[in-house]
Amino acid sequence: MAPHNPLEKVRRLACEEEGCQLFTPVLDELRRRDLDSDDLFAIIQTELGEAHFTKSEQTRKHYPTTVSDYYSIWVDDCSDWMFLKLLVATASGGTEFLVVTSFKKDIDR
């Protein structure tokens, strides 16, 4: 099974940081781990692969017309397995942007 949001597109959008949205809990977790958004975008661009993909589900709370992809990835800077949930949304003008709704310790690992 492959992610609903193609990784090629996700990586491309992660390169355009101004067009990305990180939810507050994601930013809080990055700060707790002495990381910043650039670090997360680098992880997405260079380390995230289909081997880390676990499932896709219809997004329930935010951007309900989208599908969220779930990943579990070992992050050296965190010394931990991290759960990452993201989606690709479309702005009113048709521009796509990346939304990272969750980045936290993966308690299922």
Side-chain angles (χ1 to χ4, degrees), residues 47-63:
E47 297 178 37
L48 192 65
E50 286 194 16
H52 303 113
F53 172 73
T54 58
K55 67 178 179 176
S56 294
E57 281 189 3
Q58 187 72 34
T59 307
R60 293 182 205 120
K61 189 172 182 180
H62 305 281
Y63 303 100

Side-chain angles (χ1 to χ4, degrees), residues 3 5 12 19-20 22 46 50 57 65 74 90 97 105:
N5 301 287
R12 178 180 47 80
C20 296
L22 303 179
T46 63
E50 286 194 16
E57 281 189 3
T65 61
W74 176 263
T90 306
F97 59 99
K105 179 180 170 63

Side-chain angles (χ1 to χ4, degrees), residues 77-90:
D77 290 337
C78 297
S79 298
D80 229 329
W81 284 95
M82 300 300 289
F83 170 77
L84 175 65
K85 184 166 102 173
L86 55 82
L87 60 95
V88 174
T90 306

Side-chain angles (χ1 to χ4, degrees), residues 3 9 13 41 48-49 51 53 61 74-75 80 83 91 96 98-99:
K9 180 187 292 186
L13 293 171
F41 292 132
L48 192 65
F53 172 73
K61 189 172 182 180
W74 176 263
V75 177
D80 229 329
F83 170 77
E96 292 181 315
L98 178 65
V99 181

Side-chain angles (χ1 to χ4, degrees), residues 66-81:
T66 64
V67 175
S68 294
D69 293 325
Y70 297 66
Y71 294 88
S72 181
I73 182 171
W74 176 263
V75 177
D76 285 336
D77 290 337
C78 297
S79 298
D80 229 329
W81 284 95

